[in-house]
Amino acid sequence: MHLQYHPKPDLPSAQDLPDSDETPVDNQLQHLIPGLLEAVLALIWSERMDWFFGVDMGIYTDPNEPAIVPDGFLSIGVPRIIDEGLRLSYVLWVEQKNPTLVLEVVSKTRRGEYSEKKEQYAQLGVLYYVIYNPLRKHKQKLEVHQLKGGEYQLLSGEPVWLSELNLGIGREHGTYQGITREWLYWYDENTNRYLTPEERAERAELERDRERQEKENQQERANRAEAVVEEKEQTIQQLRERLAQLGLDSDSPT
């Protein structure tokens, strides 16, 4: 579903609208989890400028209605950067593109993630609706729904492959900002997890340490080889001196 907007001069811009609903998140994970997904995307799609990932940002569908504010959302086919001021909110009559994916992180206080919001995002035409509920014990913690025929259908598997994005999404224990727990990550087509900025930095540091150690090992081997050569030369010189003391010339024919 693609909404066709024909902006009028009197419609408000992002500068005229609040950037969120000003409701504070009741769980730190509600901004950390989408923030991690955004940070990883910025690495793996560093050459692409046709996408935008919003975290706790208002999506305006109607100038007379309050914004919808998911924990995170991804839009494809829009400029990643508009100007130095960046986006204040996501205004559909300006962007001309619906979000492709929306993420909701469920906390102790339910906000209609499995009911009203699900219906709302379907009406908006969001292709993928992701619900992550880390508090669930017996039910599926990660649900990824795809819009088909105007209704959401639950996708199977994990990581879940999102064919329209050429990405997978799934859960795994790891460390982000010094916090070790279960996080949501992006995966490639072979179910290999994409590294976080911290992990890339750590791997780069380990690679530098390995290269530095290899250079030190090479220098040590060169020093040992040089010492062996010097020792042999000293032995030969000592033999020559001994032969000279005996009145023999090691270079003369016998």
Side-chain angles (χ1 to χ4, degrees):
M1 176 180 177
H2 177 67
L3 301 183
Q4 297 293 329
Y5 288 102
H6 301 284
K8 297 179 180 179
D10 57 346
L11 285 177
S13 66
Q15 287 74 18
D16 304 319
L17 299 165
D19 58 357
S20 74
D21 60 0
E22 299 182 355
T23 301
V25 296
D26 58 2
N27 188 315
Q28 194 178 9
L29 293 177
Q30 288 173 320
H31 69 262
L32 283 177
I33 287 174
L36 171 56
L37 292 173
E38 179 189 18
V40 175
L41 270 186
L43 289 174
I44 62 179
W45 284 357
S46 61
E47 301 300 320
R48 293 182 56 174
M49 299 301 292
D50 65 339
W51 62 276
F52 174 73
F53 196 101
V55 178
D56 193 30
M57 176 181 284
I59 300 173
Y60 283 91
T61 64
D62 188 308
N64 300 313
E65 297 293 333
I68 304 168
V69 188
D71 293 319
F73 68 91
L74 171 63
S75 287
I76 303 296
V78 298
R80 182 180 173 192
I81 300 171
I82 294 178
D83 54 36
E84 290 184 358
L86 305 180
R87 283 176 172 85
L88 301 177
S89 55
Y90 193 85
V91 182
L92 283 183
W93 55 87
V94 175
E95 304 286 354
Q96 296 285 301
K97 289 283 186 179
N98 294 324
T100 306
L101 177 147
V102 162
L103 167 68
E104 293 286 359
V105 179
V106 183
S107 64
K108 288 184 179 180
T109 304
R110 293 287 184 89
R111 299 174 298 167
E113 290 88 354
Y114 296 98
S115 52
E116 292 92 346
K117 286 192 174 183
K118 188 176 180 181
E119 182 178 345
Q120 189 176 44
Y121 294 134
Q123 292 176 350
L124 183 58
V126 176
L127 180 61
Y128 296 112
Y129 177 39
V130 180
I131 310 173
Y132 176 53
N133 188 343
L135 301 177
R136 274 186 164 180
K137 300 298 183 183
H138 305 293
K139 293 184 179 181
Q140 198 168 329
K141 290 185 177 182
L142 177 65
E143 291 188 3
V144 181
H145 303 264
Q146 182 173 356
L147 193 64
K148 295 182 180 180
E151 295 184 357
Y152 280 123
Q153 296 183 13
L154 182 64
L155 299 179
S156 60
E158 192 174 339
V160 184
W161 184 245
L162 312 174
S163 58
E164 297 296 324
L165 297 177
N166 199 33
L167 287 172
I169 190 169
R171 300 169 299 139
E172 192 170 322
H173 266 79
T175 301
Y176 176 58
Q177 294 190 9
I179 305 168
T180 301
R181 56 156 285 117
E182 181 181 87
W183 297 99
L184 294 187
Y185 295 99
W186 301 114
Y187 294 79
D188 66 16
E189 64 274 14
N190 298 314
T191 69
N192 297 312
R193 179 169 69 80
Y194 285 106
L195 299 180
T196 69
E198 293 169 317
E199 290 168 336
R200 283 202 180 193
E202 182 179 350
R203 178 168 291 189
E205 181 62 29
L206 290 173
E207 182 62 22
R208 286 192 292 268
D209 289 344
R210 188 194 66 78
E211 292 176 354
R212 185 165 51 248
Q213 186 62 50
E214 181 59 27
K215 288 181 180 178
E216 291 175 358
N217 292 341
Q218 289 176 355
Q219 185 60 49
E220 185 178 349
R221 289 193 294 268
N223 292 340
R224 285 201 302 265
E226 185 177 352
V228 169
V229 171
E230 290 179 357
E231 184 179 357
K232 288 182 178 179
E233 290 177 348
Q234 290 175 1
T235 300
I236 292 172
Q237 183 60 32
Q238 290 171 356
L239 288 174
R240 286 175 175 171
E241 292 174 356
R242 180 59 177 162
L243 289 172
Q245 290 176 358
L246 296 174
L248 299 174
D249 186 354
S250 61
D251 294 328
S252 62
T254 56

